Amino acid sequence: MNVADSEVVRTLLRGDGLREAESAATADVVLLNTCAIRDKAEQKVWTRLRDLRGRKGKEGQTVAVLGCMAERVKDDLFRDGLADVVVGPDAYRRLPAMLRDQEQSIDVTLDRSENYADVLPTRVEHTAHGAFVSIQRGCDNACSYCIVPYVRGRERSRSVQTILDEVASLYDSGVREITLLGQNVNSYHDHTTDSIRQTTREYTTDFTPFVKSDKKDAQTGVRFAELLERCAQAAPDARLRFTSPHPKDFPDDVLETIARVSNIAKQIHMPAQSGSDQMLRRMRRGYTGEAYRSLIQRARAVIPDVALSSDFIAGFCGESHEDHLRTLSLIQDVGYDMAFLFAYSSRERTPAARRLEDDVPSDIKKKRLQELIDAFRTGREARSRERVGKIHLILVEGAPRRDRGADLVSGRDDGNRVHVFPSSLPDGSELKPGDFAHVLVDRAEGATLIGVALRRAAGAGDRPLVDADTGAEFLIDEQTGVSRWAAEPPLVAASAHARPAVATRAFSTMATAEDAIDAILAAATPATVLGVAKDATGREARDAFLVVSRLVHPDVCTDERAGAAFAALVEAYDAFAPSDIKYDVSQAEFQGDALTTAAWMWDDAAAAARKHKARHTLDDDGSTGRSVM
Ligand code: 5AD
Ligand code: SF4
């Protein structure tokens, strides 16, 4: 939200002739856009203000504090001469005049009609392929712990047309991922525009919202599901996301729209806050743990493999150990891909601060928070392992954050997971930031997934599909209904080309299974069987093994010598792997390798099966590769 707001402010100030400075130390005016949601966020701003007034600032510099903390703290920010100008979230249009004329130094009026609909935000990085579009401001909910309704004011939505214009303009400028933003984004409602589908407001099945507005709810107009679909059409190859929603506003048509429209990310942020009914009541969330769980179930049923994330607060007023355990078990049961976990921070003026006691000691809050974090991490690891061996649709972003060697790039999948893979494709072309690609995940390293790019995807809607008969993942041309598989190089060949950056052994460039078999059967030592150096590490041996085993596995290779060659490979691999301590045979990686091997084999086997009109059957556990490792 604040990034989007800063972009609005940037447009307003540029329009008034201001330019961006190189650094805060040399600027005439410094703007701090602030958050007030937890005390920690505000403490950071105070520290920054003191720094600016101390050695890090410039003599005579104007310091303006914008946003939610400005709204909450108001003229206290002038204390000790720390701020010169204070502007709340609905008063940004006045900022240029305030800086210019210096007549007025504070404006914290909340304005029910301000939505900056006509201000096209100026993005910081023109080369970036992701952008935010604010579709709604303020919040009409009354969660008892939350300051947002007091600093951001009442909920108001932008008109459909201004949003679509902004989405289309971002798309035209090359943006390939658009995130629709709002404090309660899925209660979006433009009553001034005629709807093509929905009439009155619907809530999530079995949810009774804490605050209901019968008058507004009965109004017709465009609601969230329809807006989402129209935005997806306005940016046809781009990926569409939204945040942050409230669980009460997921009527079935929202879930169905996410499932049906191919370029909407199959990902939902579903802030639970707690797993205990007592806490949820005190928080005034308007749902029970049971209702929340059934929403999760419905989301998973309607949107297969949907990535789920959530927010949780540890140590809210009156939280008992049992309440905490209920939250823990919710986290364990759901298995979130992402979570934002916080210790409760009492905010003045909120209903909780006025009526409830902040009675969980801070060390207990911290301990519970840590337990929630640990439970979340365990669940996320399990989710990572599920992703290994599968093909994902990735938007390429650029060089990985951590230096992992040349020619590797990183990108994100629908669930916002980071994937790292070589930029080269089997056809010899290179992936660039802003491209979509199908990436086969080889293993998980912490939260990051490592894999190989198989092919370029046409856009955010060009998803790898799963063959219900064979379990193989492949693509169907929507127009002709024909699998695009046949027209492409077989995956084994793809692996040989795509892998060199990862696996630099002799065999990785071996063109055919026959060549590999000849070499294996003629080889005298384990190293030559694998095509690696005599002193290769276990990891190198394992990479070589994986590459070559895909070529000569008896399930995928029709050469009658395949069985013997494969057995020789296994033996050679065994000679290397156990003795090498540098090879981290963590359970995750080990399983990942086995599954990946299986996945490649399924793919190949599925292709072969189609060719011979025969059905290929897998072992019961679906892992033809496991027995060989
Ligand atoms: N203390 C701790 N966390 C809070 N949040 C909102 N208010 C508070 C508070 N007073 C969290 C909620 C919300 C997220 C944006 O911040 O989990 O979903
Ligand atoms: Fe705060 Fe609740 Fe509104 Fe979210 S929905 S901004 S937590 S009041």
Side-chain angles (χ1 to χ4, degrees), residues 37 138-149 183-184 244-246 248 273 285:
I37 204 139
C139 178
D140 278 354
N141 294 317
C143 305
S144 60
Y145 51 81
C146 185
I147 191 79
V148 166
Q183 248 94 33
N184 184 172
S244 180
H246 189 288
K248 74 181 190 306
Q273 313 298 358
R285 291 291 289 176

mmCIF file of all heavy atoms in Angstrom, residues 37 138-149 183-184 244-246 248 273 285, ligand 2:
data_model
loop_
_atom_site.group_PDB
_atom_site.id
_atom_site.type_symbol
_atom_site.label_atom_id
_atom_site.label_comp_id
_atom_site.label_asym_id
_atom_site.label_seq_id
_atom_site.Cartn_x
_atom_site.Cartn_y
_atom_site.Cartn_z
ATOM 1 N N ILE A 37 0.915 0.476 11.900
ATOM 2 C CA ILE A 37 0.180 -0.720 12.294
ATOM 3 C C ILE A 37 0.702 -1.351 13.579
ATOM 4 O O ILE A 37 -0.074 -1.853 14.377
ATOM 5 C CB ILE A 37 0.100 -1.723 11.130
ATOM 6 C CG1 ILE A 37 -1.102 -2.650 11.322
ATOM 7 C CG2 ILE A 37 1.357 -2.516 10.941
ATOM 8 C CD1 ILE A 37 -1.853 -2.942 10.077
ATOM 9 N N GLY A 138 -8.938 2.678 2.492
ATOM 10 C CA GLY A 138 -9.692 2.669 3.742
ATOM 11 C C GLY A 138 -10.250 1.299 4.075
ATOM 12 O O GLY A 138 -10.070 0.341 3.332
ATOM 13 N N CYS A 139 -10.907 1.214 5.229
ATOM 14 C CA CYS A 139 -11.446 -0.072 5.661
ATOM 15 C C CYS A 139 -12.667 0.162 6.538
ATOM 16 O O CYS A 139 -12.627 0.975 7.451
ATOM 17 C CB CYS A 139 -10.375 -0.845 6.436
ATOM 18 S SG CYS A 139 -10.984 -2.421 7.036
ATOM 19 N N ASP A 140 -13.742 -0.570 6.233
ATOM 20 C CA ASP A 140 -14.972 -0.453 7.017
ATOM 21 C C ASP A 140 -15.114 -1.571 8.032
ATOM 22 O O ASP A 140 -16.170 -1.716 8.642
ATOM 23 C CB ASP A 140 -16.207 -0.475 6.089
ATOM 24 C CG ASP A 140 -16.455 0.890 5.483
ATOM 25 O OD1 ASP A 140 -15.759 1.848 5.878
ATOM 26 O OD2 ASP A 140 -17.334 1.004 4.609
ATOM 27 N N ASN A 141 -14.078 -2.395 8.195
ATOM 28 C CA ASN A 141 -14.154 -3.431 9.210
ATOM 29 C C ASN A 141 -13.772 -2.821 10.558
ATOM 30 O O ASN A 141 -13.347 -1.681 10.630
ATOM 31 C CB ASN A 141 -13.231 -4.586 8.872
ATOM 32 C CG ASN A 141 -13.704 -5.280 7.612
ATOM 33 O OD1 ASN A 141 -14.897 -5.499 7.445
ATOM 34 N ND2 ASN A 141 -12.781 -5.586 6.716
ATOM 35 N N ALA A 142 -13.908 -3.618 11.580
ATOM 36 C CA ALA A 142 -13.672 -3.056 12.901
ATOM 37 C C ALA A 142 -12.850 -4.004 13.741
ATOM 38 O O ALA A 142 -13.108 -4.171 14.928
ATOM 39 C CB ALA A 142 -15.014 -2.788 13.566
ATOM 40 N N CYS A 143 -11.844 -4.645 13.143
ATOM 41 C CA CYS A 143 -11.012 -5.579 13.888
ATOM 42 C C CYS A 143 -10.457 -4.825 15.105
ATOM 43 O O CYS A 143 -9.894 -3.743 14.950
ATOM 44 C CB CYS A 143 -9.879 -6.095 13.010
ATOM 45 S SG CYS A 143 -10.520 -6.823 11.497
ATOM 46 N N SER A 144 -10.643 -5.405 16.274
ATOM 47 C CA SER A 144 -10.464 -4.606 17.487
ATOM 48 C C SER A 144 -9.018 -4.178 17.727
ATOM 49 O O SER A 144 -8.765 -3.214 18.415
ATOM 50 C CB SER A 144 -10.975 -5.390 18.693
ATOM 51 O OG SER A 144 -10.253 -6.590 18.812
ATOM 52 N N TYR A 145 -8.044 -4.907 17.144
ATOM 53 C CA TYR A 145 -6.629 -4.595 17.379
ATOM 54 C C TYR A 145 -6.093 -3.563 16.388
ATOM 55 O O TYR A 145 -4.964 -3.114 16.507
ATOM 56 C CB TYR A 145 -5.794 -5.882 17.224
ATOM 57 C CG TYR A 145 -6.105 -6.602 15.919
ATOM 58 C CD1 TYR A 145 -5.533 -6.184 14.731
ATOM 59 C CD2 TYR A 145 -7.012 -7.656 15.884
ATOM 60 C CE1 TYR A 145 -5.857 -6.799 13.539
ATOM 61 C CE2 TYR A 145 -7.338 -8.272 14.696
ATOM 62 C CZ TYR A 145 -6.763 -7.837 13.526
ATOM 63 O OH TYR A 145 -7.100 -8.431 12.344
ATOM 64 N N CYS A 146 -6.892 -3.209 15.389
ATOM 65 C CA CYS A 146 -6.300 -2.580 14.197
ATOM 66 C C CYS A 146 -6.527 -1.076 14.113
ATOM 67 O O CYS A 146 -7.634 -0.576 14.278
ATOM 68 C CB CYS A 146 -6.872 -3.262 12.961
ATOM 69 S SG CYS A 146 -6.124 -2.665 11.452
ATOM 70 N N ILE A 147 -5.471 -0.383 13.787
ATOM 71 C CA ILE A 147 -5.489 1.082 13.723
ATOM 72 C C ILE A 147 -5.953 1.584 12.345
ATOM 73 O O ILE A 147 -6.325 2.740 12.184
ATOM 74 C CB ILE A 147 -4.065 1.621 14.072
ATOM 75 C CG1 ILE A 147 -4.042 3.137 14.287
ATOM 76 C CG2 ILE A 147 -3.061 1.251 12.996
ATOM 77 C CD1 ILE A 147 -4.543 3.571 15.624
ATOM 78 N N VAL A 148 -5.917 0.675 11.356
ATOM 79 C CA VAL A 148 -6.157 1.108 9.970
ATOM 80 C C VAL A 148 -7.436 1.935 9.782
ATOM 81 O O VAL A 148 -7.393 3.008 9.180
ATOM 82 C CB VAL A 148 -6.105 -0.100 8.997
ATOM 83 C CG1 VAL A 148 -6.669 0.255 7.631
ATOM 84 C CG2 VAL A 148 -4.677 -0.585 8.855
ATOM 85 N N PRO A 149 -8.592 1.497 10.308
ATOM 86 C CA PRO A 149 -9.798 2.300 10.068
ATOM 87 C C PRO A 149 -9.661 3.728 10.597
ATOM 88 O O PRO A 149 -10.304 4.636 10.093
ATOM 89 C CB PRO A 149 -10.887 1.535 10.830
ATOM 90 C CG PRO A 149 -10.388 0.137 10.911
ATOM 91 C CD PRO A 149 -8.896 0.256 11.028
ATOM 92 N N GLN A 183 -7.127 -2.291 1.356
ATOM 93 C CA GLN A 183 -7.049 -2.779 2.738
ATOM 94 C C GLN A 183 -7.991 -3.954 2.952
ATOM 95 O O GLN A 183 -7.779 -4.796 3.792
ATOM 96 C CB GLN A 183 -7.429 -1.668 3.703
ATOM 97 C CG GLN A 183 -6.269 -1.208 4.522
ATOM 98 C CD GLN A 183 -5.596 -0.021 3.894
ATOM 99 O OE1 GLN A 183 -6.245 0.798 3.266
ATOM 100 N NE2 GLN A 183 -4.311 0.071 4.051
ATOM 101 N N ASN A 184 -9.078 -3.951 2.179
ATOM 102 C CA ASN A 184 -10.029 -5.065 2.238
ATOM 103 C C ASN A 184 -10.428 -5.261 0.771
ATOM 104 O O ASN A 184 -11.550 -5.026 0.375
ATOM 105 C CB ASN A 184 -11.211 -4.652 3.127
ATOM 106 C CG ASN A 184 -12.209 -5.757 3.350
ATOM 107 O OD1 ASN A 184 -13.122 -5.625 4.139
ATOM 108 N ND2 ASN A 184 -12.071 -6.863 2.620
ATOM 109 N N SER A 244 -4.851 -6.786 0.162
ATOM 110 C CA SER A 244 -5.009 -7.866 1.116
ATOM 111 C C SER A 244 -6.501 -8.092 1.343
ATOM 112 O O SER A 244 -7.210 -7.132 1.623
ATOM 113 C CB SER A 244 -4.320 -7.421 2.397
ATOM 114 O OG SER A 244 -4.391 -8.361 3.393
ATOM 115 N N PRO A 245 -6.957 -9.295 1.227
ATOM 116 C CA PRO A 245 -8.389 -9.552 1.353
ATOM 117 C C PRO A 245 -8.814 -9.852 2.795
ATOM 118 O O PRO A 245 -7.980 -10.091 3.662
ATOM 119 C CB PRO A 245 -8.578 -10.789 0.490
ATOM 120 C CG PRO A 245 -7.282 -11.508 0.600
ATOM 121 C CD PRO A 245 -6.204 -10.487 0.866
ATOM 122 N N HIS A 246 -10.101 -9.875 3.029
ATOM 123 C CA HIS A 246 -10.662 -10.336 4.298
ATOM 124 C C HIS A 246 -11.409 -11.647 3.983
ATOM 125 O O HIS A 246 -12.092 -11.721 2.960
ATOM 126 C CB HIS A 246 -11.619 -9.283 4.857
ATOM 127 C CG HIS A 246 -12.073 -9.583 6.250
ATOM 128 N ND1 HIS A 246 -12.957 -10.596 6.534
ATOM 129 C CD2 HIS A 246 -11.756 -9.014 7.444
ATOM 130 C CE1 HIS A 246 -13.153 -10.633 7.861
ATOM 131 N NE2 HIS A 246 -12.439 -9.677 8.423
ATOM 132 N N LYS A 248 -14.060 -12.832 4.839
ATOM 133 C CA LYS A 248 -15.528 -12.804 4.708
ATOM 134 C C LYS A 248 -15.981 -12.536 3.272
ATOM 135 O O LYS A 248 -17.124 -12.812 2.924
ATOM 136 C CB LYS A 248 -16.113 -11.731 5.626
ATOM 137 C CG LYS A 248 -15.885 -10.295 5.128
ATOM 138 C CD LYS A 248 -16.461 -9.298 6.098
ATOM 139 C CE LYS A 248 -16.477 -7.896 5.531
ATOM 140 N NZ LYS A 248 -15.177 -7.405 5.047
ATOM 141 N N GLN A 273 -5.488 -14.580 11.459
ATOM 142 C CA GLN A 273 -5.166 -13.865 12.708
ATOM 143 C C GLN A 273 -5.081 -14.783 13.917
ATOM 144 O O GLN A 273 -4.203 -14.619 14.752
ATOM 145 C CB GLN A 273 -6.155 -12.709 13.001
ATOM 146 C CG GLN A 273 -6.457 -11.800 11.835
ATOM 147 C CD GLN A 273 -5.258 -11.043 11.281
ATOM 148 O OE1 GLN A 273 -4.145 -11.164 11.793
ATOM 149 N NE2 GLN A 273 -5.441 -10.280 10.213
ATOM 150 N N ARG A 285 -13.454 -10.555 14.241
ATOM 151 C CA ARG A 285 -13.180 -10.934 12.860
ATOM 152 C C ARG A 285 -14.436 -11.425 12.143
ATOM 153 O O ARG A 285 -14.462 -11.529 10.919
ATOM 154 C CB ARG A 285 -12.100 -12.029 12.822
ATOM 155 C CG ARG A 285 -10.734 -11.536 13.242
ATOM 156 C CD ARG A 285 -10.140 -10.589 12.244
ATOM 157 N NE ARG A 285 -9.728 -11.277 11.009
ATOM 158 C CZ ARG A 285 -9.238 -10.645 9.940
ATOM 159 N NH1 ARG A 285 -9.111 -9.325 9.949
ATOM 160 N NH2 ARG A 285 -8.892 -11.317 8.879
HETATM 161 FE FE1 SF4 B 2 -7.386 -3.775 9.947
HETATM 162 FE FE2 SF4 B 2 -9.283 -5.633 9.974
HETATM 163 FE FE3 SF4 B 2 -9.423 -3.592 8.196
HETATM 164 FE FE4 SF4 B 2 -7.543 -5.502 7.900
HETATM 165 S S1 SF4 B 2 -9.755 -5.797 7.785
HETATM 166 S S2 SF4 B 2 -7.259 -3.263 7.754
HETATM 167 S S3 SF4 B 2 -7.046 -6.010 10.029
HETATM 168 S S4 SF4 B 2 -9.577 -3.450 10.416
#
